[in-house]
């Protein structure tokens, strides 16, 4: 743990995170569509894939965000304008708040990671007003934020903080299955929403796992 604890991540990591997110969202597109078909309107995978593909196009066409915050802001703006549905504004706000938490810093360490995840989660909550247990993406974000804080407080490295967050998001997403949705489209189903994973919680854990996988490539 001590070995990596001084290592920081840079804008190359953020861009890697966005590219890895686009890849996993593409790979899980159908799964997210199917999850959303069960308790929503079957568009979550399509919405997110469209947004991340638009982001990849900007990067492939030569956009070069100079700082970690600039990369997160580019993601925010692109997702907000191209994802649609509930998830577009929610992820857009998450990435925008994460960008704001970094300021001009070039070096993203364990504490900055914990702070940016918290800012992202707070953005989702500010925008969607969901609480823990409402069967939304907040049920993946909140345990991730708590695990990241604990790991950073214990002296974990940047990648270890991300891994702690991703593992907690995984468990949080899995735990949405028995819940009855109280926010978003799934809440229209009432008790019939129980017995299915929340699609947004699943996409959140995919995106947070992408952050870990990208960090491994940049350390
Ligand atoms: P829509 O519901 O408009 O079709 P999506 O299918 O893209 O949008 O996204 C659905 C996901 O958005 C849900 O699975 C849930 O995780 C998330 N979501 C919906 N409403 C809220 C909310 N108020 N707060 C947090 N997350 C929400
Ligand atoms: Mg939907």
């Amino acid at each position: 743990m001590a070995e990596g604890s001084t290592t920081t991540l840079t804008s190359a990591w953020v861009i890697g995170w966005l590219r890895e997110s686009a890849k996993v969202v593409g790979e899980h597109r159908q799964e997210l569509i199917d999850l959303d078909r069960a308790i929503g309107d079957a568009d979550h995978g399509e919405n997110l894939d469209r947004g991340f593909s638009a982001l990849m196009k900007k990067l492939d066409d030569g956009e070069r965000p100079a700082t970690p915050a600039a990369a997160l802001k580019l993601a925010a703006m692109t997702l907000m304008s191209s994802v649609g549905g509930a998830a577009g504004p929610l992820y857009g706000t998450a990435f925008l708040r994460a960008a704001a938490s970094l300021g001009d810093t070039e070096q993203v360490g364990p504490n900055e990671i914990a702070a940016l995840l918290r800012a992202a989660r707070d953005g989702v909550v500010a925008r969607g007003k969901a609480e823990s247990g409402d069967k939304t993406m907040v049920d993946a974000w909140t345990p991730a934020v708590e695990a990241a804080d604990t790991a950073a407080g214990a002296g974990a490295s940047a990648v270890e903080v991300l891994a702690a967050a991703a593992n907690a998001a995984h468990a949080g997403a899995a735990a949405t299955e028995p819940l009855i949705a109280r926010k978003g489209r799934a809440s229209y189903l009432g008790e019939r929403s129980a017995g299915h994973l929340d699609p947004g919680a699943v996409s959140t854990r995919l995106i947070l796992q992408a952050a870990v996988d990208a960090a491994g490539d940049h350390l």
Side-chain angles (χ1 to χ4, degrees), residues 5 19 21 24-25 38 41 65 70 73 82 92 106 109 122 125 164-165 167 177 183 186 194 197 202 217:
S5 61
R19 287 196 177 280
S21 297
V24 294
V25 163
D41 58 354
K73 194 170 174 196
S82 59
E106 305 273 352
D122 289 351
V125 170
N167 289 342
E177 186 164 342
K183 278 279 184 298
L197 292 170
V202 172
D217 295 340

Side-chain angles (χ1 to χ4, degrees), residues 30-131:
Q30 193 59 48
E31 177 189 337
L32 295 171
I33 286 173
D34 292 342
L35 290 174
D36 196 30
R37 179 174 295 112
I39 58 169
D41 58 354
D43 66 353
H44 189 59
E46 195 181 323
N47 289 346
L48 273 190
D49 191 38
R50 183 188 323 111
F52 278 102
S53 296
L55 180 57
M56 287 311 97
K57 183 162 186 340
K58 287 185 186 175
L59 293 174
D60 291 344
D61 286 352
E63 287 222 34
R64 289 283 171 271
T67 60
L72 292 171
K73 194 170 174 196
L74 177 67
M77 295 310 180
T78 311
L79 296 178
M80 269 192 212
S81 63
S82 59
V83 173
L90 290 166
Y91 277 121
T93 306
F95 278 101
L96 200 58
R97 295 280 189 101
S101 84
L102 288 179
D104 295 335
T105 189
E106 305 273 352
Q107 305 290 332
V108 184
N111 292 327
E112 286 79 15
I113 303 245
L116 83 80
L117 292 174
R118 178 170 293 278
R121 191 283 309 269
D122 289 351
V124 170
V125 170
R127 184 93 203 190
K129 307 279 187 291
E131 294 175 5

Side-chain angles (χ1 to χ4, degrees), residues 131-144 168-169 171-173 176 179 201:
E131 294 175 5
S132 291
D134 283 351
K135 195 180 181 100
T136 70
M137 62 172 71
V138 171
D139 293 323
W141 278 106
T142 291
T176 62
L179 299 176

